[in-house]
Amino acid sequence: MFSAALLPLLPALAAAPPSPSTTAGTAMSNCTTTCGNISIPYPFGVEPGCYHPGFDVTCAADEGPPRLLLHNISEVFDINLPNGTVDIYVDRFVQSSINSSSFPPDVRAYTGVANWDVVGVGIDGGPFVVSATRNKLVLIACDVQVFLMTVDMDVISTCAAFCPPVSKSHEYMVGSPDCSGIGCCQAPIPAGLDVYELQLRRFNGSWGSDFAQVYIVDSELLSSYRMDEMQEEALPAVLEWVISDSPCQSNSTSPECRSSNSFCQNSNTSFNGGHRCYCSKGYDGNPYVLDGCTDINECKSPEIYPCFGDCINTMGGYICQCPPGFEGDASVPKGCKDIDECVLPEAHGCYGNCTNLPGTFLCQCPQGTFGDQTIKGGCVAIRDSLSGTKIALIVSGSLILLLIALAAPFITRKILKQKAKRTREKFFKQNHGLLLQQLISQNTDIGERMIITLREIEKATDNFDKTREVGGGGHGVVYKGILNLHVVAIKKSKIVVQKEIDDFINEVAILSQVNHRNVVKLLGCCLETEVPLLVYEFISNGTLYQHLHVDGPMSLSLDARLRIVLEVARALSYLHSATSMPIYHRDIKSSNILLDDSLTAKVSDFGASRYIPIDQTGVTTAVQGTIGYLDPMYYYTGRLTDKSDVFSFGVLVMEMLTRKKPFMYRSHVGDGLVSYFSSLFEEGKLVNILDPQVMEDDNGGVQEVAALAVMCTKLKGEDRPTMREVELKLENLCVKALAPSSITSPCNRDQISFQGITMETSRQYTMEEEVMLSATYPR
């Protein structure tokens, strides 16, 4: 007999000790909520502080689509909070060769088992146990019996699989479709234990093969698998869990049930007890987070909450009643019947002729009479002529109606103006307008015209006319307009969500502090709309992407490309090291580099940028950027540093030298632009990928620029240079390439004379800093 301890038949799911950040009992706002198409609700979480102790999961994206792993081992394909279950894939955990010849004679006569391996360790002590109501223990073998026992060796479940003589070999073994004993058998898994003992026994005199496998399988899906498929792939199994191993308090509350509309209920999942949290009746959502249980609007789901009358939603429930004029049971079809008000007209206040209508009735004075038919004796006979009093009443009433009709448009216009004014004031406060006014009063660097009214913006854009649209970025639509006799670009958000508003406010705060010739100039903003509007200087010559990726063999000249690269480097060096607080752009790419009429580069689109305190080397943020340009270390760790912009800049340089689009380029071996460019550079075969125009214009400096691009895209951030070092390197390359008589050098703008050599400076350093930095230039 063979004995293999199952602890408890699944891969390792031992509860991890809680760190200080996981003891808060609630998820943070920047937690990962999905992995592929799998939702990750609290108490489960990926990052520290985002999960309850023992409920940590991992989103692995190493090969193929992202996979959600429970404790880095078992793949999760569904998490069900109301049922307290986790669906995972489990590989077969026992497979072996059974050779009776390896046992003593007295044992060999009774059974034969040898060389068994058990894959997997236990979940002992964690919040998870094997679900007894959903799982089955499945054995695939011939003439073998499996025993499921407690650690005290008490048998609690068993089944046996037999095979006819013709099917004794594993290759030809045929099992019964319902796994009822021929080549395959199944047994229930009793609840309450997280440690089991497994034993297998071969029957005496068996012809059976030496192959056997044991699985844990979701019984609801067992019938959908053929036995030969079960032998080769991981199968779904179900775990049950409790949020705490302590029972509920007497009033059905628990500290873990954090939502105000939730309750606690003890669980019979294991002998250790414990409880789970549920949303109260009429509520749905996540009971483990604050305000996680929200009211169900039953009136929007009549197929679930039937109502064939007037449905009124209430907190935690709903009211279903017949419409006015009907009576009966509104919860069943045709349950509401029309009330015949004319049966008792006096009860409904009708003393004239009553006519019943569906849901109502018509009451009018009899023919030849007039008056008030709702009061007794109110209908009187019509006389041949009207009295002077009645004529006066008719005329005065007509005049009043005429005056109301004439005044209505003016009154309506006044009301609409007041409503629009209140709406603008509301949005102004919502969009932090008071804070911006305070900044303007305290900071002389922010112009007094920074705040622009909505009326001025509408006038500048002809009320946002479609013909004024000149493009769009990742954060909105851009309009061309004329404001104060200046041509400006006005950016308006496409999507009204709070994150877009926060990005706009972030861009205002950043650009209002930035003053550099290679950074797009922010002229002002309008905060009187639901989403703020930003007003920039208008850059007339499009984006670098449009100039670089044109049809045909000719694009920007090499000198123009190198100058643009240098200007972008100066802008990033300024943002990283010359502002009062470093600014990381996070989305450097060719479509975010604007060019003016003289092809001067302007870095734009700061919606994803972040201020970083000087005393911090990196900050963990939600990853933002563009695939192809995105720093891989930032993508995998979420830790933002200045080297993230350096990586994106290096990709931009490669794009300039090759005219390949980083977000879609693939080499003949499947490599992306960065890896293929770096490998060709190391092999000395860079000519295979360079733009032919670059090779034709090259005067010897392309190799050094390519080497700088490779350094900027090193995998580890510490191996990359800073943007200041990149700027100085490009300055030196410009100086080397500059002939004494040349006036068309890529670095001949904003030039200063230095020892008879003309070179460019970004003008963002003090005179003392420039003197110190000049020591690094070649003499």
Side-chain angles (χ1 to χ4, degrees), residues 107-126:
V107 177
R108 195 180 312 126
Y110 175 66
T111 183
V113 180
N115 301 327
W116 286 83
D117 295 323
V118 178
V119 180
V121 293
I123 57 175
D124 188 14

Side-chain angles (χ1 to χ4, degrees), residues 15-28:
S19 64
S21 61
T22 63
T23 58
T26 184
M28 299 184 297

Side-chain angles (χ1 to χ4, degrees), residues 218-477:
D218 184 351
S219 59
E220 295 181 2
L221 303 177
L222 180 60
S223 61
S224 62
Y225 286 90
R226 291 175 44 190
M227 188 175 62
D228 55 350
E229 292 175 344
M230 292 173 62
Q231 298 171 6
E232 298 177 359
E233 62 181 60
L235 298 180
V238 182
L239 302 181
E240 294 184 5
W241 51 270
V242 291
I243 193 65
S244 172
D245 57 3
S246 60
C248 296
Q249 300 177 6
S250 58
N251 56 356
S252 297
T253 62
S254 166
E256 286 79 11
C257 304
R258 300 178 59 82
S259 179
S260 57
N261 297 299
S262 64
F263 66 94
C264 166
Q265 183 171 314
N266 291 328
S267 171
N268 58 358
T269 298
S270 66
F271 291 153
N272 296 329
H275 67 271
R276 288 196 289 264
C277 300
Y278 301 89
C279 288
S280 303
K281 184 178 179 181
Y283 293 85
D284 191 19
N286 191 337
Y288 300 103
V289 298
L290 292 174
D291 301 323
C293 294
T294 57
D295 175 56
I296 299 173
N297 190 342
E298 293 86 354
C299 298
K300 290 186 177 180
S301 302
E303 69 281 358
I304 303 176
Y305 309 97
C307 181
F308 299 90
D310 291 340
C311 181
I312 303 173
N313 184 58
T314 62
M315 296 303 294
Y318 70 107
I319 299 173
C320 183
Q321 58 189 15
C322 290
F326 294 84
E327 61 183 0
D329 185 1
S331 63
V332 298
K334 300 181 180 180
C336 294
K337 306 298 182 181
D338 177 46
I339 299 174
D340 189 353
E341 294 86 352
C342 296
V343 174
L344 296 173
E346 293 82 2
H348 295 88
C350 181
Y351 294 90
N353 291 338
C354 180
T355 304
N356 185 57
L357 300 174
T360 184
F361 67 101
L362 176 63
C363 185
Q364 55 191 4
C365 286
Q367 186 175 7
T369 64
F370 76 99
D372 186 358
Q373 67 273 18
T374 62
I375 60 175
K376 194 171 185 179
C379 294
V380 297
I382 298 176
R383 298 180 181 177
D384 293 336
S385 60
L386 296 175
S387 65
T389 303
K390 291 181 179 178
I391 294 175
L393 289 174
I394 294 173
V395 172
S396 61
S398 300
L399 290 175
I400 292 173
L401 291 176
L402 179 61
L403 290 175
I404 293 175
L406 293 175
F410 300 97
I411 296 174
T412 303
R413 189 178 301 113
K414 184 69 174 178
I415 293 174
L416 291 177
K417 286 184 177 180
Q418 290 295 328
K419 183 178 180 181
K421 181 180 179 181
R422 288 194 299 269
T423 301
R424 291 196 299 269
E425 292 174 350
K426 169 191 170 185
F427 289 144
F428 186 82
K429 294 179 181 179
Q430 177 179 305
N431 294 328
H432 313 296
L434 298 178
L435 176 61
L436 189 56
Q437 283 181 334
Q438 184 178 3
L439 289 174
I440 292 174
S441 64
Q442 295 177 354
N443 192 340
T444 58
D445 293 336
I446 304 178
E448 295 182 359
R449 291 290 298 164
M450 178 62 69
I451 299 179
I452 303 172
T453 65
L454 178 59
R455 181 173 299 177
E456 292 177 287
I457 297 291
E458 290 175 340
K459 182 178 179 182
T461 61
D462 288 341
N463 202 21
F464 299 104
D465 190 271
K466 290 287 290 184
T467 60
R468 294 296 188 99
E469 292 185 12
V470 294
H475 295 269
V477 179

Side-chain angles (χ1 to χ4, degrees), residues 552-697:
M554 301 301 292
S555 179
L556 295 171
S557 67
L558 178 59
D559 282 353
R561 299 187 202 188
L562 295 183
R563 177 180 51 75
I564 292 171
V565 165
L566 177 56
E567 289 173 344
V568 174
R570 287 172 177 157
L572 292 178
S573 177
Y574 168 82
L575 294 173
H576 288 186
S577 56
T579 55
S580 60
M581 187 178 295
I583 301 170
Y584 299 161
H585 190 282
R586 292 208 298 178
D587 199 15
I588 293 297
K589 56 184 177 181
S590 58
S591 59
N592 282 343
I593 308 301
L594 304 180
L595 301 178
D596 64 10
D597 290 334
S598 59
L599 295 183
T600 299
K602 303 277 188 176
V603 178
S604 69
D605 204 342
F606 283 74
S609 303
R610 286 292 180 271
Y611 278 124
I612 303 298
I614 296 176
D615 58 350
Q616 296 187 20
T617 58
V619 174
T620 301
T621 69
V623 176
Q624 290 190 8
T626 302
I627 296 300
Y629 299 88
L630 190 61
D631 176 11
M633 296 305 295
Y634 172 45
Y635 177 78
Y636 285 111
T637 65
R639 191 163 183 81
L640 177 66
T641 68
D642 60 331
K643 300 302 180 67
S644 300
D645 281 352
V646 174
F647 183 91
S648 301
F649 175 80
V651 179
L652 177 65
V653 176
M654 293 180 181
E655 182 182 4
M656 296 278 281
L657 294 178
T658 64
R659 287 182 66 192
K660 309 295 184 186
K661 300 176 182 178
F663 53 86
M664 62 184 300
Y665 176 76
R666 284 294 179 269
S667 69
H668 64 282
V669 294
D671 290 341
L673 177 60
V674 174
S675 58
Y676 190 54
F677 186 98
S678 300
S679 62
L680 289 179
F681 178 80
E682 296 294 336
E683 297 170 4
K685 300 178 181 179
L686 198 57
V687 67
N688 292 348
I689 194 173
L690 288 179
D691 180 14
Q693 184 180 352
V694 169
M695 296 299 299
E696 181 179 348
D697 296 344

